[in-house]
Amino acid sequence: MTINKYQGKTKEEAIEKAKQELGPGAVVMNVREIKPKGMLKVFKETVYEVTAALEEKEVFTNPLSALNTAAKMHEGINLAADEKLQVPKTPETQNTAAPTASAFRQEAEMKSEVTHGERRNDGLEKRLEDLSNMLEKQLSVGEKRKEEKLEMQTASPEGLQFVKMLYRTLLENDVNEKFVNQIMDEAEKVMHNGSSVDYILSTVYQKMILKLGQPNTIDTTGKKPKIIFFIGPTGVGKTTTIAKIASKYKVDEGMKVAFLTADTYRIAATEQLRVYANILDAPMSIIYSAEEMNAAIERVNDYHLIFVDTAGFSHKNEAQCGDMKKMIAGLDEAYEKEVYLVLSATTKYKDLLEIVDIYRDIADYKIIFTKLDETTTFGNIFNIKLYAGASLSYMTNGQNVPDDIEEFNTQKIVKQLLGGR
Ligand SMILES: Nc1nc2c(ncn2[C@@H]2O[C@H](COP(=O)(O)OP(=O)(O)O)[C@@H](O)[C@H]2O)c(=O)[nH]1
Ligand SMILES: [Mg+2]
């Protein structure tokens, strides 16, 4: 893995620099705002520092040592055992000398414990808040680590204890066991004898961020108009999300937006979109076929963004599924399109798997997760991203239009999955 820091006047500028150097596969690990300090601070500007990484294929120069990792740390974890797990002390108060096992236990006892029904853990939260410092440390020792990486051994007792705790936290947050094992397998390859708790945490954090990948939102740099389809089951928040996104582009960026709706199954559905169209003073058309869609687009072809709302349907309804596929495939080739699959974070894992499969047949999509405010466990977001292999784009966390939406915040979600707030 290559990891580096990039600065810019804005977050976007710093990310752009990272992409230029590392390529389009670069993933943002952390964003830090550096406020100017000192007497001359009024003359200086705030800069943004982005830590970005690129995952390379892991190359083992010594195949034998790679084989030795078969002695996996997490294989010894018995989750049936009702054992209490504790987090080691936070970095500020930790002794610089390596703590002995008993000193470690004493310290740990002072910290809160992860017991059933009580997921919050101050030690872990503090550590997660300090992740940027941790990443920094890792950057400075990066070269040394590269050599050590090849000697893959099991971790120290406190490391093992900590890995167990992370393992359990991820499961409690509904990350699928298969993926938890995958993360731990990968993390183990770079852990070594005596890996510090910080090192383990930041390694697991980085692995997870890389798996979620860099979010991918609407690309407004192409030619206009850009046609943006929103598909997904009923009631997940397609229409509301369209209103939020359209409003941002219209109000914040001054773009011209228009609406089409193919959700003609319910009168109330077209009325709902019409209300938002009126507020934004944007044209709206109701369409029943691909021909009508192309004709309606033609009428607003000097607009930047055209949002197409669609009807949700049961993923078992093949006729409706076919209609939707025809509609999207029938878009005039002259137009550029993006398709977003809208999913609710509250939907059951099994149903999400089916939905993702059915809609994959309709078009290539990016994923929007809604209703993050209605659940406390975000594991499904992680599971579905890995299962679908599609990019994440936006996340929404409430009914307020236009405020309750943001670009998918990978760092925030991973921190929460690891037990942070
Ligand atoms: N709590 C919460 N409710 C949401 C969110 N997004 C949409 N909703 C609500 O979910 C319901 C269905 O939304 P709607 O946009 O009509 O869904 P659609 O059928 O997919 O178009 C409405 O009551 C919305 O206000 C969200 O992020 N959080
Ligand atoms: Mg709708």
Side-chain angles (χ1 to χ4, degrees):
M1 186 170 69
T2 313
I3 180 162
N4 251 322
K5 286 192 283 190
Y6 302 89
Q7 289 193 344
K9 286 199 192 87
T10 60
K11 179 184 148 195
E12 290 71 28
E13 189 184 302
I15 294 175
E16 198 42 48
K17 279 186 190 161
K19 284 195 172 154
Q20 266 166 19
E21 194 179 304
L22 298 174
V27 176
V28 175
M29 294 285 166
N30 193 52
V31 181
R32 200 155 65 104
E33 197 181 328
I34 306 171
K35 293 229 156 69
K37 284 189 191 132
M39 256 171 23
L40 298 174
K41 70 180 173 199
V42 284
F43 303 109
K44 296 181 189 158
E45 286 175 1
T46 298
V47 287
Y48 290 84
E49 184 180 85
V50 161
T51 308
L54 185 71
E55 183 82 301
E56 299 129 0
K57 287 248 170 298
E58 301 209 31
V59 190
F60 296 109
T61 49
N62 179 355
L64 236 163
S65 66
L67 277 177
N68 287 341
T69 34
K72 300 215 176 85
M73 284 196 286
H74 67 264
E75 269 173 9
I77 297 172
N78 175 9
L79 287 161
D82 203 10
E83 160 192 18
K84 281 181 183 170
L85 296 177
Q86 298 154 341
V87 195
K89 288 195 80 167
T90 49
E92 288 92 330
T93 44
Q94 199 164 0
N95 248 321
T96 38
T100 61
S102 69
F104 175 86
R105 252 195 311 280
Q106 266 174 14
E107 283 173 6
E109 266 152 26
M110 289 154 61
K111 289 283 153 193
S112 58
E113 298 167 348
V114 177
T115 51
H116 188 67
E118 184 198 337
R119 242 173 247 148
R120 295 274 170 245
N121 188 308
D122 291 343
L124 196 50
E125 274 173 17
K126 183 77 192 65
R127 278 181 192 283
L128 283 162
E129 276 162 25
D130 266 6
L131 257 178
S132 40
N133 295 339
M134 246 185 259
L135 287 167
E136 206 115 311
K137 255 193 241 162
Q138 226 169 322
L139 273 179
S140 57
V141 293
E143 286 310 305
K144 197 168 140 249
R145 292 279 190 230
K146 266 183 204 153
E147 291 155 28
E148 290 176 7
K149 207 154 119 173
L150 297 170
E151 300 167 25
M152 288 160 295
Q153 297 164 30
T154 49
S156 55
E158 44 276 39
L160 180 62
Q161 168 92 341
F162 187 66
V163 168
K164 277 189 195 183
M165 208 201 65
L166 289 182
Y167 195 97
R168 186 175 281 185
T169 306
L170 289 172
L171 286 181
E172 275 178 352
N173 281 322
D174 285 346
V175 178
N176 188 277
E177 193 176 348
K178 185 174 81 192
F179 297 130
V180 179
N181 280 320
Q182 230 178 62
I183 300 162
M184 292 304 176
D185 273 349
E186 285 173 28
E188 266 167 35
K189 287 185 187 153
V190 291
M191 288 178 210
H192 50 88
N193 205 4
S195 277
S196 73
V197 165
D198 283 352
Y199 186 73
I200 294 171
L201 182 60
S202 97
T203 303
V204 171
Y205 172 83
Q206 288 174 48
K207 292 285 166 196
M208 290 179 70
I209 296 258
L210 284 168
K211 283 196 183 297
L212 287 182
Q214 187 62 13
N216 195 343
T217 53
I218 298 173
D219 176 13
T220 53
T221 59
K223 64 175 187 199
K224 63 179 186 179
K226 164 74 60 86
I227 321 300
I228 306 152
F229 292 90
F230 287 70
I231 59 175
T234 50
V236 289
K238 293 182 293 300
T239 309
T240 313
T241 305
I242 287 178
K244 289 172 182 174
I245 296 178
S247 161
K248 294 258 180 226
Y249 281 108
K250 167 120 191 184
V251 178
D252 301 349
E253 319 246 340
M255 290 188 173
K256 286 175 85 174
V257 304
F259 299 108
L260 303 183
T261 180
D263 187 358
T264 50
Y265 293 88
R266 292 180 306 126
I267 297 169
T270 52
E271 282 314 306
Q272 186 191 359
L273 190 64
R274 178 149 345 253
V275 170
Y276 292 124
N278 287 345
I279 294 171
L280 290 174
D281 195 19
M284 177 188 131
S285 306
I286 299 171
I287 51 168
Y288 287 88
S289 65
E291 292 74 43
E292 282 185 26
M293 172 177 69
N294 288 322
I297 294 171
E298 190 54 42
R299 290 196 292 273
V300 284
N301 67 6
D302 60 328
Y303 278 58
H304 297 99
L305 303 173
I306 301 176
F307 295 90
V308 187
D309 198 2
T310 64
F313 51 84
S314 149
H315 43 269
K316 291 164 196 132
N317 189 330
E318 283 181 20
Q320 259 180 307
C321 215
D323 285 352
M324 169 101 69
K325 192 173 174 174
K326 257 193 239 155
M327 175 87 81
I328 296 177
L331 176 71
D332 193 323
E333 277 177 17
Y335 301 122
E336 285 184 6
K337 69 164 186 277
E338 289 185 28
V339 180
Y340 289 88
L341 174 63
V342 184
L343 298 171
S344 164
T346 63
T347 306
K348 287 205 298 277
Y349 179 52
K350 266 197 169 167
D351 292 334
L352 283 171
L353 294 180
E354 264 192 55
I355 294 163
V356 158
D357 282 340
I358 297 287
Y359 282 87
R360 202 196 314 260
D361 191 44
I362 292 174
D364 277 339
Y365 50 72
K366 296 188 255 187
I367 298 174
I368 295 176
F369 266 101
T370 60
K371 309 198 183 185
L372 269 71
D373 55 312
E374 290 192 8
T375 177
T376 48
T377 53
F378 299 138
N380 273 341
I381 296 177
F382 193 84
N383 300 334
I384 289 304
K385 155 69 197 170
L386 264 58
Y387 179 79
S391 297
L392 295 163
S393 53
Y394 299 92
M395 59 193 214
T396 78
N397 57 356
Q399 295 185 287
N400 292 323
V401 178
D403 290 337
D404 293 340
I405 188 165
E406 61 179 315
E407 187 174 310
F408 190 86
N409 191 332
T410 319
Q411 295 90 352
K412 188 154 109 186
I413 295 298
V414 171
K415 281 180 190 173
Q416 294 203 349
L417 288 175
L418 288 170
R421 241 185 281 271

